[in-house]
């Protein structure tokens, strides 16, 4: 009886550990308009502070638990959430968010310029 109970507990422990393990998810983020790679896209694990960014080619790699959700966000593009499930490779196409581009304002506040004094030529007139 003790041996059966021990084997059962061992089995439960191993199954629990196997389900709790993180796995590597890789992928590529591109623009939906022209399929060009998007560098610097923020990829985060929903509900945590864990995340990464896409490289210059739009590629990314992140370690996530099974059944988690990844959130993709980039300036000028709509935020997108993807359920990972059992996938190990994900390709994402982010759509442009034209409405948010109107909200970007660039100002020159805080810039100071030094006034330069130039000698004036007086021709004697």
């Amino acid at each position: 009886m003790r041996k059966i109970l021990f084997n059962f507990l061992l089995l439960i422990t191993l199954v629990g550990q196997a389900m709790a393990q993180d796995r590597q998810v890789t992928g590529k983020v591109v623009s939906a308009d022209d399929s060009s790679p998007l560098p610097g896209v923020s990829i985060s694990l929903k509900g945590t502070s864990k995340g990464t960014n896409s490289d210059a080619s739009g590629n990314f790699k992140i370690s996530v638990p099974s059944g988690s959700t990844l959130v993709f966000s980039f300036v000028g593009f709509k935020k997108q959430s993807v359920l990972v499930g059992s996938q190990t490779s994900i390709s994402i196409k982010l759509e442009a968010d034209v409405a948010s581009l109107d909200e970007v304002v660039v100002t020159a506040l805080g810039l100071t310029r030094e006034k330069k004094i130039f000698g004036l030529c007086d021709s004697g007139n």
Side-chain angles (χ1 to χ4, degrees):
M1 178 70 175
R2 291 179 93 187
K3 189 172 184 180
I4 293 173
L5 182 60
F6 176 75
N7 287 338
F8 179 71
L9 291 175
L10 181 63
L11 179 66
I12 296 273
T13 304
L14 292 176
V15 169
Q17 286 180 351
M19 292 181 71
Q21 288 181 349
D22 286 357
R23 61 186 150 77
Q24 290 283 5
V25 175
T26 59
K28 186 167 187 163
V29 185
V30 296
S31 170
D33 296 334
D34 57 1
S35 295
S36 61
L38 295 174
V41 174
S42 176
I43 300 127
S44 60
L45 185 59
K46 189 172 186 175
T48 69
S49 60
K50 188 175 184 179
T52 189
N53 291 325
S54 60
D55 64 12
S57 301
N59 298 316
F60 68 92
K61 184 190 311 183
I62 187 168
S63 181
V64 298
S66 294
S68 56
T69 301
L70 291 176
V71 180
F72 297 82
S73 60
F74 192 55
V75 175
F77 288 83
K78 293 179 183 177
K79 188 182 284 190
Q80 187 174 347
S81 297
V82 175
L83 180 63
V84 175
S86 62
Q87 302 175 48
T88 56
S89 181
I90 299 175
S91 293
I92 300 297
K93 289 188 177 187
L94 291 182
E95 295 180 18
D97 190 4
V98 180
S100 71
L101 292 178
D102 293 335
E103 298 171 7
V104 176
V105 177
V106 178
T107 63
L109 293 177
L111 292 179
T112 57
R113 292 191 178 175
E114 187 177 318
K115 213 176 203 181
K116 302 220 182 226
I117 301 174
F118 296 102
L120 297 175
C121 287
D122 191 357
S123 60
N125 290 335

